Amino acid sequence: MAITSLTGMKDVLPVNQESWLFVDNWQRLEESMRRQGRLYGFREMRTPLLEMTELFARGVGDTTDVVTKEMYSFTDRGDRPITVRPELTAGLVRSFIEHKLYALPQPTKVFGIGPAFRYERPQAGRLRQHHQWSVEVFGSQDPATDAEVIQIGIDLASQLGLNGLTVHLNSIGCPVCRPDYREKLKDHFRPHLGELCPDCNERFDKNPLRILDCKVDRDKPFMATAPKSIDHLCDECRSHFDGVQRHLKSLDIPFEIDTGIVRGLDYYTKTVFEVIYPPLGAQSTVWGGGRYDGLVETLGGPPTPGIGFGMGLERVLLTLEKMGLALPPQPPLDAFIATIGDAARSAALPLAARLRRTGLSAELDVLGRSLKAQMKYADRLGARYVVILGDDELARGEAQVKDMAGSAQHQVALENLAPWIEGQKAAAEAWSAAGDRPETQPENGGTHRG
Ligand SMILES: [Zn+2]
Ligand SMILES: [Zn+2]
């Protein structure tokens, strides 16, 4: 019996069966994320998949669903409690502290791209291995940083074709104003304890803010009348929240205040946000994040403000698929070398190697197909040119080159093959940039040397 993949874990494939699982789209998206990071002054950081369990218990919060119900935790052979990361931020913070990056000129702007693991219930259709672009800024409390962190994601989405996003914004206060707000929340929920789910009864003492985020109790009537954090902010939080809004306006980023957003993780302070794409309907949140000014200190570092977000790659790719938006395709194969005869077959491998060394992609037949079958296969591979090599041509040091986009066939000297293909490509690009393309490319082997 064949072994299958685990529930909630997907293979990303080299063929386009489902576009959100097609590797070309993953590569395109990751390239866009890295490019976007570079434009905004972020550096990539790569941290291990495995961390001490305590990092997440302390960093993510031991009352969150993620930590209490969803982590892949185990004891390793050295009897250490280990967890496969359920998100990337905690590991990035751990590394920031461990390598004393706070001693460098601040802020530290970093991002990570990679998998995270949560034991989600399969009926919710959620993945147990998903991938995140985790973008973080350490060392700036300036509300301009909050706006910049929101903007980097909005810019990325709009480059992918997701326009018309709305930012839902909230502030959940700080250690100065939150204790008072917590008491107000407890006063509000105390008469309803019997109606709240068992989890919320536990949250009531440990972290009543979490109750606002409960998926079970969300629609109960006393939820809508709960006190709002933005009505209980201290002066500093209030002016910070005003600042974030001012900066978003200056960037023309549409936003609305949404007091229902508390986010699923304990470490957030002040700004929390979710980015909504209305055409998606009910499940319209594409990504979210927020500020975590106490997290670095909680994990043993010096007091350092921080803000960031995690964007799910699957979520973005599924959204693009759902909206019928395609990422730009990978460049086609430059040349397929089709051969007739034994001498030509032996010459194909070094010829392909020569083309590849000049930066042209090249493929050749290794299954001994007929010429007709080779042409068909070349077409399937999306080859731009097919180099037809027979024993006679080989003896003369020449090949027939067929332009697969038209009907033209050219006689080209083998030693000029690479520059000839480069020249044809450049000419075709120039034509397509001019919005026109002739039926037959200008002919003349070797004269387009660039
Ligand atoms: Zn405050
Ligand atoms: Zn509940």
Side-chain angles (χ1 to χ4, degrees), residues 24 28 31 328-334 361 381-382 384 425 429:
D24 286 25
R28 285 292 187 197
E31 279 163 19
Q330 296 283 357
L333 177 65
D334 290 315
S361 56
L381 294 178
R384 187 73 183 78
K425 275 177 70 178
E429 272 161 33

Side-chain angles (χ1 to χ4, degrees), residues 156-163 277 320 325:
L156 173 91
S158 113
Q159 278 158 25
L160 302 174
L162 298 175
N163 293 301
Y277 187 56
L320 292 171
L325 296 166

